[in-house]
Amino acid sequence: MADVTEDQSKAAQPKAAQGAPPPEEPAARPTLHSVVIERLKRLNRPLQPINRICLVGKATGGGGAKAVASFFERNVRSVGDAIDTSSLLTGMLLQLPTGWLCLMEGALASLSVLLSALHKESKCEDASVGEMKVICIMDDVGDRTFSRWTHTTLDVSRNNYMELDKSGPAMLLSDVTIGALKVLKTLDSLSYDETSTALADWQNRFRTVMPSNERLQQILEIDEVPSLEDFVAIYETPSDATFISDRSLARRVEHVARWGLKEEMGTAFFAAGQLTDRESPMG
């Protein structure tokens, strides 16, 4: 019997055994998580939502404006991770003769760290930040208004105290916040040197929108505007809300117990709508 050569042996084997590519596996079914992640990437949105907060305050202690700037510079730049850009804090510290305004944007966790540091600093005997009030807080703002951090010292005298009506300081707070956002939106496309030049030339560049000495002083004198201490107390206190449906269920369970019926039977009647509060002896 003739010897079978190697080539003849390969020819006798099925095609699948001769190194043919394996059949393609069916594509994995997309999950809700993968769809959301892909959507965020396509829209160039961060994985963590961006939040915004605007504070006003007064410098205290011997350090004055320099101590306030040093505190924010040190704490803002130490928060977040460059790998996750949404965790970084961006914004502006504007220092005026009557107080300072700080508008910051970043992830909720990063803002929480800075708020805690501010609250802790305000309790120190030699605190630099002093009295602070929260004039704006916004969740999931989408894109950042300003993509870096800067601080400046100006004298913005506009003689523009606002007359408040019965609605309170809402219009004043929104006007100051929107003005700061408009300034930052314009500055975002400028370089560092151009930003400093534009802020110094505020009378020509931002005359109608730049937060003023008068309005910061006015905000700090209004009791209705929440202080940082009040805000943190509410912000960190867990909610203990009771929904109407929870109260209704608790009341009905109590009725069942007082009637001496089995819980399973009462639940079945309630679910079927055959037993109402009007039909119970409890009214």
Side-chain angles (χ1 to χ4, degrees):
M1 182 176 181
D3 295 335
V4 179
T5 65
E6 184 177 355
D7 293 339
Q8 292 175 335
S9 177
K10 289 184 177 181
Q13 294 179 0
K15 291 185 178 181
Q18 298 181 23
E24 295 184 359
E25 297 182 359
R29 184 177 181 180
T31 64
L32 178 60
H33 178 267
S34 63
V35 171
V36 171
I37 295 298
E38 182 61 30
R39 176 73 172 173
L40 290 173
K41 290 180 178 179
R42 191 161 59 249
L43 296 176
N44 196 27
R45 294 284 300 274
L47 297 182
Q48 296 188 68
I50 300 298
N51 297 267
R52 176 184 297 142
I53 189 167
C54 188
L55 307 167
V56 297
K58 296 187 69 173
T60 59
K66 289 184 178 180
V68 174
S70 176
F71 173 86
F72 276 99
E73 186 74 16
R74 182 175 64 256
N75 285 274
V76 167
R77 296 192 183 281
S78 65
V79 175
D81 186 350
I83 298 178
D84 180 12
T85 56
S86 61
S87 67
L88 300 177
L89 292 179
T90 59
M92 177 180 68
L93 171 66
L94 171 65
Q95 300 204 74
L96 304 177
T98 56
W100 53 262
L101 177 145
C102 183
L103 193 150
M104 294 172 293
E105 296 174 336
L108 178 61
S110 300
L111 287 175
S112 299
V113 171
L114 185 60
L115 289 179
S116 298
L118 282 167
H119 187 244
K120 182 179 180 180
E121 173 70 12
S122 67
K123 297 298 183 180
C124 298
E125 294 183 1
D126 56 344
S128 58
V129 291
E131 178 187 5
M132 290 168 283
K133 291 182 178 289
V134 180
I135 69 173
C136 173
I137 179 73
M138 302 175 68
D139 298 330
D140 198 3
V141 298
D143 297 331
R144 293 178 188 263
T145 308
F146 191 62
S147 57
R148 56 189 184 277
W149 169 255
T150 188
H151 63 86
T152 186
T153 301
L154 300 174
D155 186 353
V156 185
S157 180
R158 293 173 54 195
N159 193 26
N160 63 341
Y161 286 99
M162 180 180 288
E163 292 290 336
L164 303 182
D165 54 21
K166 294 181 180 180
S167 62
M171 186 63 68
L172 172 63
L173 304 184
S174 63
D175 183 80
V176 170
T177 303
I178 293 172
L181 288 171
K182 289 181 177 180
V183 171
L184 289 175
K185 191 67 175 178
T186 302
L187 298 176
D188 189 47
S189 60
L190 305 181
S191 66
Y192 179 83
D193 293 336
E194 291 172 337
T195 296
S196 300
T197 302
L199 288 171
D201 191 31
W202 69 267
Q203 292 184 345
N204 296 320
R205 299 290 299 269
F206 308 112
R207 172 182 290 275
T208 60
V209 296
M210 180 68 76
S212 66
N213 304 343
E214 295 81 8
R215 294 203 170 176
L216 256 66
Q217 181 178 358
Q218 188 176 6
I219 291 173
L220 289 169
E221 294 174 350
I222 298 175
D223 294 334
E224 289 84 354
V225 181
S227 66
L228 178 64
E229 184 174 3
D230 293 337
F231 177 81
V232 170
I234 298 172
Y235 185 76
E236 294 183 344
T237 301
S239 176
D240 190 20
T242 302
F243 294 99
I244 295 177
S245 59
D246 295 335
R247 292 199 301 266
S248 176
L249 177 61
R251 186 172 64 251
R252 291 184 174 185
V253 169
E254 181 183 2
H255 291 180
V256 171
R258 292 193 179 187
W259 294 345
L261 300 176
K262 291 184 178 180
E263 185 176 357
E264 293 81 6
M265 182 182 297
T267 303
F269 275 114
F270 292 141
Q274 299 179 16
L275 187 61
T276 64
D277 291 341
R278 291 185 179 181
E279 295 173 349
S280 72
M282 299 300 296

